[in-house]
Amino acid sequence: MARRGLELTPFRGLRYDPDRVGSLAAVTSPPYDVVVRPDGVVHLQSADPHNIVRLILPQATTPNARNEQAADTLHHWLAEGVLAADPEPGFYVYEQRGDDGMLQRGIIGTLRLSDPSEGVVLPHEDVMPHVIADRAALMRATNANLEPLLLTYRGNGSAADTTAVVDRTAAQEPLLSTTTEDGYSHRLWSITDAADVAAIQTDLSRHQALIADGHHRWATYRRLRAEHPSPSPWDYGLVLLVDTARYPLRVRAIHRLLHGLPVADALAPLEGLFRIRRLAVPLAEALETLADAACAGNAFLLAGDGAFHLVDHPDPGLLARTIPADRPAAWRTLDATVLHATLLDHIWHVPEDDPTRIAYIHDTAATVRKAERDGGTAVLMHPVREEVVRDLARQGITMPRKSTSFGPKPASGLVLRALGI
């Protein structure tokens, strides 16, 4: 029998002892897949010897050594009291504020893992097997969920729903408060009152969720659950749930960096198949031009040679030959679909899951800088609308991997989950 909806459970969070670290801001990190490696890793490691990046992105010469290093580091931090478990299980209210007026609140808990057939948690992107294998090995070694994935749901606005409890809790004194170097302020509260916990669980049992960020971690959770006889702690995974009816997320693009493919070599085979225009303008203006072009059809910006090249108006015959016809029109016309099926597969012959050939980077300026420094090609994307993402997910249609970046993403390091506690 299918479950009614989301089943969220309280847990004893692991949190940094502020007296044992330089500052809470200095031990946080963006999610593992947002950190620009290796530059970002070095920067974060230098911020504080206990920065969470030493757990989520350990640095060693082999995968086994990296995972053993993370497990040893976590063990030492627990033994030294750098990280300590809260005394009783609860949910955690998490708030982010930006200096641009953005406010987001959600609730962190452990979610019972559901099967795709139940339609409780909706993915919208494909995943890469090697990333799942990497994250699974790290979670096995540490016996922990080191950072929550981000899920969204649509609340009903009733006085008894989860968001009402979240907002009432956020009026109290927080467990922690810090501001990270990106200007975002972060606050965390715990909910341990039995009535509030029950109200949240009852409300969420009526909802389904969309994976906004963390498809690989969700797939990793499900793999690890399959490896352990149920019931076990692996039946649950650490998540942040945000009611987007109350706190809408922003959707940004994830860009591609093509290693070993200079811009001139990327543009040459597109002649006659796409319209190509060279833009000798700053990045911000080039992105505005991309946004205008994307309103009319598929469009991309190529960069890496000191200029921007707008690539749009693909040949309809080329698209008909290269894009699978057995998917909805909304999927066939996605920029990410055209990029992967037509450009990467058919024209450039770049495997989308080969990290030696392609990287996926969230930061636009960083993608351009790395392309210019390394002699590769940056492919800059325009974001997809959230309505398109949700509609495809409800149809069971997954978008090409790394098609969207929902945000703001939760900072890693504010609350962790050890499966043995």
Side-chain angles (χ1 to χ4, degrees), residues 165-237:
V165 179
V166 165
D167 289 349
R168 174 162 43 82
T169 302
Q172 303 168 11
E173 190 70 20
L175 292 174
L176 64 86
S177 178
T178 190
T179 300
T180 46
E181 65 179 11
D182 58 6
Y184 279 90
S185 66
H186 308 262
R187 296 198 294 171
L188 193 76
W189 298 260
S190 65
I191 298 175
T192 56
D193 178 80
D196 285 342
V197 168
I200 290 169
Q201 291 176 317
T202 299
D203 176 51
L204 291 178
S205 71
R206 296 189 287 263
H207 294 289
Q208 64 179 184
L210 175 74
I211 300 177
D213 185 67
H215 283 81
H216 289 92
R217 279 166 283 169
W218 180 254
T220 300
Y221 288 169
R222 296 190 66 248
R223 173 182 288 191
L224 293 170
R225 182 193 66 170
E227 294 176 0
H228 295 81
S230 186
S232 84
W234 296 100
D235 292 341
Y236 299 83

Side-chain angles (χ1 to χ4, degrees), residues 217-418:
R217 279 166 283 169
W218 180 254
T220 300
Y221 288 169
R222 296 190 66 248
R223 173 182 288 191
L224 293 170
R225 182 193 66 170
E227 294 176 0
H228 295 81
S230 186
S232 84
W234 296 100
D235 292 341
Y236 299 83
L238 186 64
V239 304
L240 166 64
L241 275 162
V242 174
D243 176 3
T244 53
R246 178 70 173 83
Y247 297 107
L249 271 66
R250 297 171 177 174
V251 186
R252 292 187 170 90
I254 301 177
H255 310 295
R256 277 65 170 160
L257 174 62
L258 309 183
H259 302 301
L261 182 65
V263 174
D265 293 347
L267 289 172
L270 305 186
E271 292 287 346
L273 299 175
F274 288 79
R275 183 176 68 172
I276 302 171
R277 286 181 285 165
R278 186 177 188 276
L279 308 177
V281 297
L283 174 58
E285 190 174 335
L287 291 174
E288 290 177 2
T289 304
L290 173 64
D292 291 340
C295 291
N298 301 118
F300 312 90
L301 272 181
L302 271 58
D305 62 351
F308 297 99
H309 306 268
L310 181 67
V311 175
D312 64 354
H313 290 199
D315 176 68
L318 172 68
L319 300 184
R321 294 193 304 273
T322 56
I323 295 178
D326 59 346
R327 301 288 186 93
W331 181 90
R332 296 197 307 271
T333 55
L334 289 170
D335 287 340
T337 297
V338 174
L339 172 63
H340 283 255
T342 303
L343 290 171
L344 293 179
D345 291 351
H346 182 74
I347 294 179
W348 292 329
H349 306 293
V350 174
E352 62 182 14
D353 58 355
D354 183 352
T356 67
R357 300 286 304 280
I358 186 170
Y360 299 84
I361 303 177
H362 295 71
D363 186 282
T364 308
T367 310
V368 175
R369 286 195 303 269
K370 289 178 73 66
E372 291 178 344
R373 184 183 66 192
D374 302 338
T377 294
V379 183
L380 306 183
M381 310 282 288
H382 185 67
V384 182
R385 299 192 319 277
E386 181 179 357
E387 311 89 80
V388 173
V389 176
R390 194 175 294 274
D391 183 58
L392 286 172
R394 284 177 175 154
Q395 296 178 58
I397 303 295
T398 54
M399 299 167 65
R401 56 197 60 174
K402 298 294 184 182
S403 294
T404 59
S405 176
F406 282 83
K409 304 178 190 303
S412 297
L414 295 180
V415 61
L416 294 66
R417 176 197 179 214

